[in-house]
Amino acid sequence: MALRHLIQYLRIEHQGLLNLAARLDKLLTSASKNDFAEHSKSLSALRSLERGLLGVVRHCSVQDRDVESTYLHYLHQDERARIADEHEHLIRAVTNFREELKCATPDRTMAMILPGMDVVNRLRSHIAYEQEMLGRIMEVALPTRPAAKQKVSPKKP
């Protein structure tokens, strides 16, 4: 698969993860209100996002994915290390949130709010950094070609 297609694939994946972060943020805000019915509804919706949370963990398994290893050689060692470190922290944040979510009840949702917001904040920050790296790689590896100049033919009398 061409580098351009791999980067496009990752950008689509990033958009899905950002959509998940927005949904998590909205549901956590709803779960933090002083309304038992909202707590119950939010808790149910948060638990339904399990597949999305597993997608975050899957995204963080960079070494196991051929898709991302293709572009990693364009990054400096410190950039690769930062991405690996952020992936590790994201996996831990998701694990902590999932554990709190298991124990949460409609009358006890506050314990999961902070771990959930940690996932949201880390995910948004990480995706922003990876998008920045992908943009830089696109500039270096796939420079855009200037538009071909058209020849202007002289007007005939």
Side-chain angles (χ1 to χ4, degrees), residues 30-55:
S30 181
S32 67
K33 295 179 181 172
N34 285 332
D35 182 358
F36 185 82
E38 278 295 312
H39 287 187
S40 184
K41 194 164 62 171
S42 300
L43 193 54
S44 176
L46 284 165
R47 287 186 172 136
S48 75
L49 296 178
E50 178 66 21
R51 190 168 151 198
L53 294 171
L54 290 175

Short mmCIF file of all heavy atoms in Angstrom, two decimals, residues 30-55:
data_model
loop_
_atom_site.label_atom_id
_atom_site.label_comp_id
_atom_site.label_asym_id
_atom_site.label_seq_id
_atom_site.Cartn_x
_atom_site.Cartn_y
_atom_site.Cartn_z
N SER A 30 -22.59 14.77 31.15
CA SER A 30 -23.96 14.43 31.53
C SER A 30 -23.97 13.61 32.82
O SER A 30 -24.83 13.82 33.69
CB SER A 30 -24.61 13.64 30.40
OG SER A 30 -25.92 13.31 30.71
N ALA A 31 -23.03 12.69 32.95
CA ALA A 31 -22.96 11.84 34.15
C ALA A 31 -22.55 12.62 35.39
O ALA A 31 -22.78 12.18 36.51
CB ALA A 31 -21.99 10.69 33.92
N SER A 32 -21.96 13.78 35.22
CA SER A 32 -21.50 14.56 36.37
C SER A 32 -22.59 15.49 36.93
O SER A 32 -22.40 16.11 37.97
CB SER A 32 -20.26 15.39 36.00
OG SER A 32 -20.60 16.38 35.07
N LYS A 33 -23.73 15.57 36.25
CA LYS A 33 -24.83 16.41 36.73
C LYS A 33 -25.53 15.76 37.91
O LYS A 33 -25.39 14.56 38.15
CB LYS A 33 -25.82 16.66 35.59
CG LYS A 33 -25.22 17.47 34.46
CD LYS A 33 -26.22 17.69 33.36
CE LYS A 33 -25.56 18.49 32.24
NZ LYS A 33 -26.39 18.58 31.06
N ASN A 34 -26.29 16.55 38.65
CA ASN A 34 -27.00 16.04 39.83
C ASN A 34 -28.39 15.54 39.47
O ASN A 34 -29.38 15.94 40.05
CB ASN A 34 -27.12 17.14 40.90
CG ASN A 34 -25.81 17.38 41.60
OD1 ASN A 34 -24.99 16.48 41.71
ND2 ASN A 34 -25.62 18.59 42.08
N ASP A 35 -28.46 14.63 38.54
CA ASP A 35 -29.73 14.09 38.10
C ASP A 35 -29.58 12.58 37.96
O ASP A 35 -28.85 12.09 37.10
CB ASP A 35 -30.13 14.73 36.77
CG ASP A 35 -31.47 14.26 36.24
OD1 ASP A 35 -32.10 13.39 36.88
OD2 ASP A 35 -31.88 14.74 35.17
N PHE A 36 -30.29 11.83 38.80
CA PHE A 36 -30.18 10.38 38.82
C PHE A 36 -30.52 9.76 37.47
O PHE A 36 -29.85 8.84 37.01
CB PHE A 36 -31.07 9.79 39.92
CG PHE A 36 -30.93 8.32 40.09
CD1 PHE A 36 -29.90 7.79 40.86
CD2 PHE A 36 -31.82 7.44 39.47
CE1 PHE A 36 -29.75 6.42 41.01
CE2 PHE A 36 -31.67 6.07 39.61
CZ PHE A 36 -30.65 5.57 40.39
N ALA A 37 -31.56 10.27 36.82
CA ALA A 37 -31.96 9.74 35.52
C ALA A 37 -30.86 9.95 34.48
O ALA A 37 -30.58 9.06 33.66
CB ALA A 37 -33.26 10.39 35.06
N GLU A 38 -30.22 11.12 34.52
CA GLU A 38 -29.11 11.40 33.61
C GLU A 38 -27.94 10.46 33.89
O GLU A 38 -27.28 9.99 32.97
CB GLU A 38 -28.63 12.86 33.74
CG GLU A 38 -29.45 13.84 32.97
CD GLU A 38 -29.38 13.64 31.47
OE1 GLU A 38 -28.27 13.49 30.91
OE2 GLU A 38 -30.44 13.62 30.85
N HIS A 39 -27.68 10.22 35.17
CA HIS A 39 -26.59 9.32 35.55
C HIS A 39 -26.83 7.93 34.95
O HIS A 39 -25.93 7.33 34.36
CB HIS A 39 -26.49 9.18 37.06
CG HIS A 39 -25.93 10.38 37.73
ND1 HIS A 39 -25.62 10.38 39.08
CD2 HIS A 39 -25.63 11.61 37.29
CE1 HIS A 39 -25.15 11.56 39.42
NE2 HIS A 39 -25.15 12.33 38.34
N SER A 40 -28.05 7.45 35.10
CA SER A 40 -28.39 6.12 34.61
C SER A 40 -28.25 6.04 33.09
O SER A 40 -27.66 5.09 32.56
CB SER A 40 -29.81 5.78 35.05
OG SER A 40 -30.13 4.48 34.67
N LYS A 41 -28.78 7.02 32.41
CA LYS A 41 -28.72 7.05 30.94
C LYS A 41 -27.27 7.18 30.46
O LYS A 41 -26.84 6.47 29.55
CB LYS A 41 -29.57 8.21 30.43
CG LYS A 41 -29.88 8.15 28.96
CD LYS A 41 -31.01 9.07 28.54
CE LYS A 41 -30.69 10.52 28.80
NZ LYS A 41 -31.68 11.43 28.20
N SER A 42 -26.52 8.06 31.09
CA SER A 42 -25.12 8.28 30.71
C SER A 42 -24.27 7.04 30.96
O SER A 42 -23.43 6.68 30.13
CB SER A 42 -24.52 9.46 31.47
OG SER A 42 -25.23 10.63 31.21
N LEU A 43 -24.51 6.41 32.09
CA LEU A 43 -23.75 5.21 32.45
C LEU A 43 -23.99 4.10 31.43
O LEU A 43 -23.04 3.44 30.98
CB LEU A 43 -24.16 4.76 33.85
CG LEU A 43 -23.30 3.73 34.54
CD1 LEU A 43 -21.84 4.18 34.60
CD2 LEU A 43 -23.82 3.49 35.95
N SER A 44 -25.22 3.93 31.05
CA SER A 44 -25.55 2.93 30.04
C SER A 44 -24.87 3.25 28.71
O SER A 44 -24.30 2.36 28.06
CB SER A 44 -27.06 2.87 29.86
OG SER A 44 -27.40 1.98 28.85
N ALA A 45 -24.92 4.51 28.31
CA ALA A 45 -24.29 4.92 27.04
C ALA A 45 -22.77 4.77 27.11
O ALA A 45 -22.14 4.37 26.13
CB ALA A 45 -24.69 6.36 26.71
N LEU A 46 -22.17 5.09 28.25
CA LEU A 46 -20.71 4.95 28.40
C LEU A 46 -20.31 3.49 28.28
O LEU A 46 -19.30 3.17 27.65
CB LEU A 46 -20.26 5.52 29.74
CG LEU A 46 -20.18 7.04 29.82
CD1 LEU A 46 -20.08 7.51 31.26
CD2 LEU A 46 -19.02 7.57 29.00
N ARG A 47 -21.10 2.61 28.88
CA ARG A 47 -20.79 1.18 28.79
C ARG A 47 -20.93 0.66 27.37
O ARG A 47 -20.26 -0.29 26.98
CB ARG A 47 -21.65 0.41 29.76
CG ARG A 47 -21.21 0.63 31.20
CD ARG A 47 -21.95 -0.22 32.18
NE ARG A 47 -21.33 -0.08 33.50
CZ ARG A 47 -22.01 0.07 34.63
NH1 ARG A 47 -23.33 0.08 34.61
NH2 ARG A 47 -21.37 0.19 35.76
N SER A 48 -21.77 1.30 26.59
CA SER A 48 -21.95 0.86 25.19
C SER A 48 -20.75 1.27 24.32
O SER A 48 -20.64 0.81 23.19
CB SER A 48 -23.24 1.43 24.61
OG SER A 48 -23.09 2.81 24.32
N LEU A 49 -19.86 2.09 24.85
CA LEU A 49 -18.68 2.54 24.09
C LEU A 49 -17.48 1.60 24.26
O LEU A 49 -16.37 1.93 23.85
CB LEU A 49 -18.29 3.95 24.51
CG LEU A 49 -19.31 5.04 24.21
CD1 LEU A 49 -18.82 6.39 24.71
CD2 LEU A 49 -19.61 5.10 22.72
N GLU A 50 -17.71 0.44 24.84
CA GLU A 50 -16.62 -0.51 25.08
C GLU A 50 -15.84 -0.83 23.81
O GLU A 50 -14.61 -0.87 23.81
CB GLU A 50 -17.19 -1.80 25.69
CG GLU A 50 -16.18 -2.88 25.95
CD GLU A 50 -15.16 -2.53 27.02
OE1 GLU A 50 -15.42 -1.64 27.84
OE2 GLU A 50 -14.07 -3.14 27.01
N ARG A 51 -16.53 -1.02 22.73
CA ARG A 51 -15.86 -1.34 21.46
C ARG A 51 -14.95 -0.18 21.02
O ARG A 51 -13.85 -0.40 20.53
CB ARG A 51 -16.92 -1.62 20.40
CG ARG A 51 -16.36 -2.18 19.14
CD ARG A 51 -17.48 -2.69 18.27
NE ARG A 51 -17.09 -2.58 16.88
CZ ARG A 51 -17.91 -2.62 15.88
NH1 ARG A 51 -19.19 -2.77 16.09
NH2 ARG A 51 -17.48 -2.53 14.65
N GLY A 52 -15.41 1.04 21.22
CA GLY A 52 -14.59 2.20 20.88
C GLY A 52 -13.36 2.28 21.75
O GLY A 52 -12.27 2.63 21.27
N LEU A 53 -13.50 1.97 23.03
CA LEU A 53 -12.36 1.98 23.94
C LEU A 53 -11.34 0.91 23.54
O LEU A 53 -10.12 1.14 23.62
CB LEU A 53 -12.82 1.78 25.38
CG LEU A 53 -13.65 2.92 25.96
CD1 LEU A 53 -14.24 2.53 27.31
CD2 LEU A 53 -12.83 4.20 26.08
N LEU A 54 -11.84 -0.23 23.09
CA LEU A 54 -10.92 -1.26 22.59
C LEU A 54 -10.22 -0.77 21.33
O LEU A 54 -9.06 -1.13 21.08
CB LEU A 54 -11.68 -2.56 22.32
CG LEU A 54 -12.17 -3.30 23.56
CD1 LEU A 54 -13.01 -4.51 23.16
CD2 LEU A 54 -11.02 -3.72 24.45
N GLY A 55 -10.88 0.06 20.55
CA GLY A 55 -10.26 0.66 19.36
C GLY A 55 -9.10 1.57 19.73
O GLY A 55 -8.11 1.64 19.01
#
